[in-house]
């Protein structure tokens, strides 16, 4: 459980200063808190009707006949959060007061019959735990908050926010219902008599309604839905798993609106038809079945089709298209970011991170990329939290992906500051480090007989057996493997796999951090020692003695991109061998899948190889995100091209890594402390001349813009949310001087960077040659 913590930063003398703040308040600068969240859900007061946001209030649901949905709060003691606002720079929250009432009338009178927190001296603005009277199931409550800052501004209460509790308060994860958005075609092309093609501009998981006029009782219209064109028609036989469907629609006389009943696909709607022994995510009744399509071709219809006659009802998790923004001087990079942003929205159609339309199963490898990219393009945390929790208890079969759950849980804590998921799943996360598979040589293996039923039970695995995977897909068109070594770069599998053990090391380092965050210091010490032991073992047994490069495993001398990029990414490389490892990685180029590219790019940026990383991001080769656009997809694809996976689909979220890599690495915005209480901004522009980003966070929006004249001058303007501080790391230029907000500044020097610490508000930093 998250507890308010007392500020002790040398800024105030605690309660005495709070009293002075209250007595000498500056009313003119008063700012009320905004964007209130309950259990990380911001819009708890929106009521949906069959997936559409409605005018219905929570109170009106009591006697509503409509099929309504809302984001129900399932916690007995929910967490409250808000965004602090201020017109002043360097603003910190000194205290808060939360009121919770059972009626709006009481709250309007500042009367809190459920909980009045009183004045709590704390800078916690994201995860304040409810401490009032027991909440009742299926009940509406109202709350508001006011805060005191370090400038003496008179506190003003926020606008009130209502929430409804669930029928059972089981402390489960609150989340939104799915949402529908109605969309019209971006273009309409008449191919000839009776044939019209509609292009909605991008692919989406959706349904379709048509308003058509029948002139005869026997009129029948053919409706072609698809993701791919062939000439000016929907491709009836697309490659791989790109989608196409035909529906025949009988018309009756007169003008009527018809809805297409979409057929279920057995491969993504049948229970447990996979190696993991888990169910796909089924569409809820209030939404119905969906199908991914961009194009709709109407055949055998003699009437005219207007722009509003055909409506695509796209289905997605609630998403704010205006929450995040990125633009740069590189047009290819801009297109790739938009591609990935749309991918995150479009593939959220299940409300859980899934693998697109192939199986509609949550896989860790999709989820770990989807999670970080979702954080980069929307201020939304509940879908990630729900997906991680689902995967804790429904893991899939690849060994490496089991270990990714620990990484995702840590990411969730860093981005939200809420430790409740860590607390609830701690024992399960410990099991997912796979320490139970440790052999006498200090490495783990799934091939030496330790994958017993008890081990599978401890990690909740329901499939036949775990298997090492390294990367996916591992096959493609004939000849591609010979040229490029396949998506796994010709990886040689042995009993002791370097990639699996690199993941094992990373999981151990993070479970140690998790233990520390939960106050389990003995566990933290234990896992820290285990991690160091594994690191020494890997570097002793799984490196080539002469070069220090990482081999794929014991009993092979083969060296792949994957063994080296995962070792580098997860911090296994030492000062002695790091340069050789980086050179080897760069020599192998993009010899990994779209999924593997996430870890390759992270490794490169974390080791200051920004120019090479940028060349991969904005590449126009076959192995590039640009190629996905070139072949016609508007959602990231499962593989770089059809030749790398003959049955690939065109709606796979694990291809969306650039959304988070651009935000986290190129623009360099990451949380230094849980919940963005402290931020690091470390842009690595390389040769990129200009870029601008707005990044939503739990604390508010961060904005960064830079203009870059490499090795000559650099200017950055940034806006930091109130109640946070930031470390700014900028590339060092020889014989230069630094200005902070137009005043010369003496920064801290660190290797190739200068470091400047700033508070909230808008700041400009310039590096100029002397």
């Amino acid at each position: 459980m998250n507890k308010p913590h007392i500020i002790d930063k040398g800024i105030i003398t605690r309660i005495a200063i709070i009293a002075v703040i209250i007595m000498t308040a500056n009313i003119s600068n008063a700012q009320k808190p905004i964007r209130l969240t309950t259990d990380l859900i911001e819009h708890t007061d929106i009521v949906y009707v069959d997936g559409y946001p409605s005018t219905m209030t929570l109170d009106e649901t009591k006697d509503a006949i409509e099929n309504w949905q809302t984001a129900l709060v399932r916690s007995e003691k929910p967490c409250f959060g808000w965004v602090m606002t201020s017109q002043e720079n360097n603003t910190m929250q000194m205290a808060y007061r939360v009121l919770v009432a059972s009626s709006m009338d009481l709250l309007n009178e500042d009367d809190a019959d459920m909980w009045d927190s009183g004045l709590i001296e704390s800078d916690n603005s994201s995860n304040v735990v409810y401490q009032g009277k027991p909440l009742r199931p299926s009940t509406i409550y109202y709350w508001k908050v006011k805060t005191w800052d370090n400038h003496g501004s008179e506190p003003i209460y926020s606008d009130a926010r209502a929430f409804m509790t669930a029928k059972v308060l089981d402390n489960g994860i609150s989340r939104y219902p799915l949402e529908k958005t109605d969309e019209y075609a971006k273009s309409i092309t008449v191919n000839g008599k009776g044939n019209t093609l509609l292009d909605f501009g991008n692919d989406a998981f959706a349904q379709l309604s048509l308003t058509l006029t029948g002139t005869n009782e026997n009129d029948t219209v053919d409706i072609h839905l698809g993701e791919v064109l062939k000439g000016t028609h929907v491709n009836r036989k697309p490659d791989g798993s790109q989608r196409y469907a035909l529906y025949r629609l009988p018309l009756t006389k007169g003008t009527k609106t018809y809805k297409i009943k979409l057929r279920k696909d057995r491969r993504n709607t049948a229970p447990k038809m996979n190696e993991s022994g888990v169910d796909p995510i089924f569409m809820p009744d209030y939404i119905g079945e969906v199908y991914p399509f961009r194009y709709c071709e109407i055949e055998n219809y003699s009437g005219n089709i207007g722009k509003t006659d055909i409506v695509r009802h796209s289905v997605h998790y609630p998403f704010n298209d205006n929450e995040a923004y990125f633009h740069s001087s590189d047009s290819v990079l801009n297109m790739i970011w938009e591609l990935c942003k749309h991918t995150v929205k479009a593939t959220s159609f299940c409300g859980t991170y899934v693998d697109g339309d192939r199986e509609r199963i949550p896989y860790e490898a999709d989820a770990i990329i989807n999670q970080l990219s979702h954080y980069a393009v929307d201020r939304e945390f509940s879908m990630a939290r729900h997906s991680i929790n689902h995967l804790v208890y429904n893991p899939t079969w690849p060994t490496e992906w089991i270990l990714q759950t620990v990484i995702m849980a840590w990411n969730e804590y860093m981005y939200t500051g809420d430790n409740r998921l860590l607390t609830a799943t701690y024992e399960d996360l410990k099991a997912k480090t796979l320490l139970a598979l440790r052999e006498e040589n200090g490495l783990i293996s799934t091939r030496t007989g330790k994958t017993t039923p008890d081990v599978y039970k401890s990690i909740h695995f329901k499939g036949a057996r775990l298997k090492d995977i390294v990367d996916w897909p591992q096959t493609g068109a004939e000849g591609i493997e010979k040229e490029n070594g396949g998506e796994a770069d010709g990886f040689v599998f042995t009993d002791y796999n370097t990639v699996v053990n690199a993941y094992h090391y990373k999981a151990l380092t993070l479970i140690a951090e998790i233990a520390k965050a939960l106050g389990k210091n003995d566990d933290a010490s234990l896992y820290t020692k285990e991690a160091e032991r594994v690191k020494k073992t890997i570097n002793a047994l799984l490196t080539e003695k002469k070069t220090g490069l990482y081999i794929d495993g014991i009993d092979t001398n083969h060296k792949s991109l994957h063994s080296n990029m995962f070792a580098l990414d997860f911090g296994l490389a030492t000062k002695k061998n790091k340069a050789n490892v980086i050179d080897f990685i760069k020599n192998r180029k993009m010899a990994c899948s779209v999924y593997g590219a996430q870890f390759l790019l992270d490794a490169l940026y974390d080791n200051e190889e920004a120019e090479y990383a940028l060349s991969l991001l904005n590449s126009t080769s076959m192995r590039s995100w640009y190629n996905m656009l070139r072949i016609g997809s508007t959602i990231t694809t499962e593989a770089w091209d059809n030749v790398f996976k003959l049955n690939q689909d065109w709606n796979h979220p694990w291809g969306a890594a650039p959304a988070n890599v651009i935000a986290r690495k190129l623009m360099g915005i990451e949380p230094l402390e849980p919940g963005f209480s402290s931020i690091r901004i470390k842009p690595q522009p390389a040769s990129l001349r200009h870029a601008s980003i707005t990044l939503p966070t739990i604390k508010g929006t961060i904005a960064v813009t830079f203009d870059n004249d490499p090795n000559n001058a650099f200017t950055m303007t940034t806006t930091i949310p109130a109640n946070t501080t930031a470390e700014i790391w900028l590339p060092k230029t020889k014989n230069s001087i630094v200005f902070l907000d137009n005043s010369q500044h003496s920064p801290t020097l660190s290797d190739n960077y200068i470091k400047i610490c700033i508070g909230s508000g808008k700041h400009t930093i310039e590096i100029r040659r002397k």
Side-chain angles (χ1 to χ4, degrees), residues 34-203:
I34 60 172
R35 309 202 71 170
L36 276 61
T37 58
T38 306
D39 275 355
L40 299 177
I41 299 286
E42 181 173 352
H43 302 292
T44 51
D45 50 359
I46 292 181
V47 179
Y48 298 79
V49 175
D50 289 329
Y52 291 100
S54 74
T55 60
M56 189 184 301
T57 65
L58 289 176
D59 193 57
E60 289 174 329
T61 62
K62 296 174 183 177
D63 54 7
I65 63 172
E66 292 83 2
N67 185 25
W68 59 270
Q69 306 85 38
T70 194
L72 297 171
V73 172
R74 298 169 59 183
S75 301
E76 294 175 297
K77 293 185 176 182
C79 278
F80 299 120
W82 55 88
V83 170
M84 193 181 182
T85 59
S86 177
Q87 296 177 348
E88 304 281 344
N89 278 7
N90 306 312
T91 297
M92 293 296 295
Q93 177 181 292
M94 298 291 100
Y96 66 81
R97 183 184 180 189
V98 173
L99 301 181
V100 183
S102 61
S103 78
M104 182 63 83
D105 289 340
L106 287 173
L107 198 65
N108 286 338
E109 297 297 323
D110 296 342
D111 186 359
D113 62 329
M114 296 304 295
W115 184 42
D116 181 346
S117 71
L119 189 151
I120 302 295
E121 186 188 353
S122 170
D123 63 353
N124 184 4
S125 60
S126 302
N127 301 286
V128 173
V129 179
Y130 176 78
Q131 299 290 349
K133 298 176 182 178
L135 300 178
R136 297 182 296 275
S138 301
T139 303
I140 302 167
Y141 296 99
Y142 307 84
W143 75 282
K144 62 183 179 181
V145 61
K146 65 179 176 181
T147 61
W148 287 263
D149 66 25
N150 55 317
H151 301 301
S153 300
E154 169 67 19
I156 299 175
Y157 274 114
S158 66
D159 294 337
R161 182 60 53 87
F163 67 90
M164 180 184 288
T165 53
K167 291 181 180 179
V168 179
L169 297 181
D170 59 1
N171 295 317
I173 294 169
S174 299
R175 54 185 180 133
Y176 290 107
L178 294 177
E179 186 174 309
K180 288 185 180 180
T181 299
D182 287 356
E183 299 164 334
Y184 301 119
K186 300 294 184 183
S187 66
I188 300 176
T189 303
V190 178
N191 287 321
K193 186 177 180 181
N195 187 288
T196 302
L197 176 70
L198 297 98
D199 179 359
F200 289 92
N202 55 41
D203 201 356

Side-chain angles (χ1 to χ4, degrees), residues 530-657:
E530 292 289 350
E532 286 303 314
R533 186 178 293 121
V534 172
K535 182 175 183 176
K536 289 179 182 178
T537 302
I538 290 174
N539 281 312
L541 299 182
L542 297 174
T543 56
E544 187 177 64
K545 303 307 178 187
K546 182 178 180 180
T547 63
L549 297 177
Y550 292 89
I551 55 178
D552 293 346
I554 291 178
D555 297 328
T556 181
N557 292 320
H558 186 266
K559 300 175 289 293
S560 65
L561 169 65
H562 297 71
S563 292
N564 287 273
M565 76 180 187
F566 281 109
L568 183 65
D569 185 27
F570 294 156
L572 287 165
T574 65
K575 289 183 179 179
K576 185 177 179 180
N577 69 348
K578 185 177 289 187
N580 280 353
V581 169
I582 290 172
D583 286 345
F584 178 83
I585 288 171
K586 292 167 70 173
N587 183 61
R588 297 305 302 147
K589 302 181 180 178
M590 189 69 89
C592 62
S593 72
V594 296
Y595 147 72
Q598 171 76 63
F599 306 93
L600 172 59
L601 289 168
D602 278 354
L604 291 169
Y605 275 113
D606 287 347
N607 289 277
E608 299 180 14
E609 292 292 333
E611 189 64 55
Y612 180 62
L614 180 63
S615 74
L616 297 180
L617 275 173
N618 64 11
S619 170
T620 58
S621 70
M622 183 181 286
R623 288 181 174 272
S624 72
W625 287 276
Y626 182 81
N627 190 60
M628 300 178 188
L629 294 167
R630 181 165 50 211
I631 64 177
S633 187
T634 58
I635 301 176
T636 54
T637 54
E638 186 179 5
W640 297 116
D641 194 274
N642 291 349
V643 299
F644 300 111
K645 193 172 193 297
L646 298 180
N647 67 339
Q648 79 150 331
D649 64 39
W650 276 21
N651 46 65
H652 224 82
W654 76 357

Side-chain angles (χ1 to χ4, degrees), residues 489-502:
D489 195 27
F491 188 92
V492 176
F493 288 87
T494 68
D495 287 348
Y496 298 97
N497 176 338
T498 300
V499 172
V500 164
N501 279 279

Side-chain angles (χ1 to χ4, degrees), residues 281-478:
I281 302 298
F282 302 111
M283 298 305 296
D285 292 343
Y286 67 86
I287 292 292
E289 192 51 70
V290 295
Y291 193 74
F293 67 94
R294 172 180 176 176
Y295 303 102
C296 171
E297 184 181 343
I298 301 173
E299 193 175 17
N300 302 323
Y301 181 67
S302 59
N304 293 323
I305 295 176
K307 184 176 181 179
T308 60
D309 291 339
I310 313 299
V311 182
R312 185 176 72 172
H313 314 282
S314 70
V315 175
H316 52 84
Y317 206 64
F319 191 91
N320 183 350
D321 293 284
N322 299 317
E323 192 75 73
Y325 168 85
F326 173 77
H327 187 79
S328 75
S329 52
D330 188 317
S331 60
V332 171
L333 201 61
N334 299 338
M335 289 188 288
I336 290 167
W337 190 83
E338 292 292 345
L339 166 71
C340 296
K341 178 181 177 181
H342 175 67
T343 296
V344 172
K345 178 180 180 180
T347 60
S348 69
F349 69 100
C350 280
T352 307
Y353 296 145
V354 296
D355 66 337
D357 201 44
R358 175 181 300 287
E359 297 174 275
R360 298 189 187 176
I361 289 175
Y363 282 99
E364 294 87 348
D366 293 283
I368 195 170
I369 295 169
N370 219 331
Q371 173 194 23
L372 290 173
S373 292
H374 204 160
Y375 293 154
V377 298
D378 198 10
R379 187 176 182 262
E380 210 300 300
F381 311 99
S382 60
M383 187 172 172
R385 170 168 284 200
H386 165 73
S387 299
I388 297 164
N389 189 72
H390 178 92
L391 285 163
V392 167
Y393 302 107
N394 298 275
T396 61
W397 57 270
T399 315
E400 296 92 331
W401 299 0
I402 297 287
L403 294 151
Q404 288 174 347
T405 310
V406 183
I407 304 174
M408 287 187 281
W410 179 252
N411 288 341
E412 200 268 346
Y413 175 56
M414 290 300 292
Y415 275 77
T416 68
D418 188 333
N419 66 17
R420 289 177 297 168
L421 181 65
L422 298 182
T423 301
T425 61
Y426 179 65
E427 293 300 322
D428 302 287
L429 293 173
K430 288 199 302 182
K432 289 181 188 296
T433 65
L434 299 184
L435 260 176
L437 303 185
R438 177 81 60 83
E439 291 289 349
E440 291 183 3
N441 63 7
L443 301 175
I444 66 170
S445 176
T446 57
R447 294 183 170 193
T448 55
K450 288 202 171 183
T451 51
T452 64
D454 285 343
V455 169
Y456 284 169
K457 183 178 179 181
S458 72
I459 61 173
H460 305 285
F461 183 62
K462 306 173 184 68
R465 66 186 182 94
L466 294 180
K467 290 184 285 186
D468 300 355
I469 192 171
V470 175
D471 205 341
W472 194 262
Q474 294 171 340
T475 58
E478 184 177 355

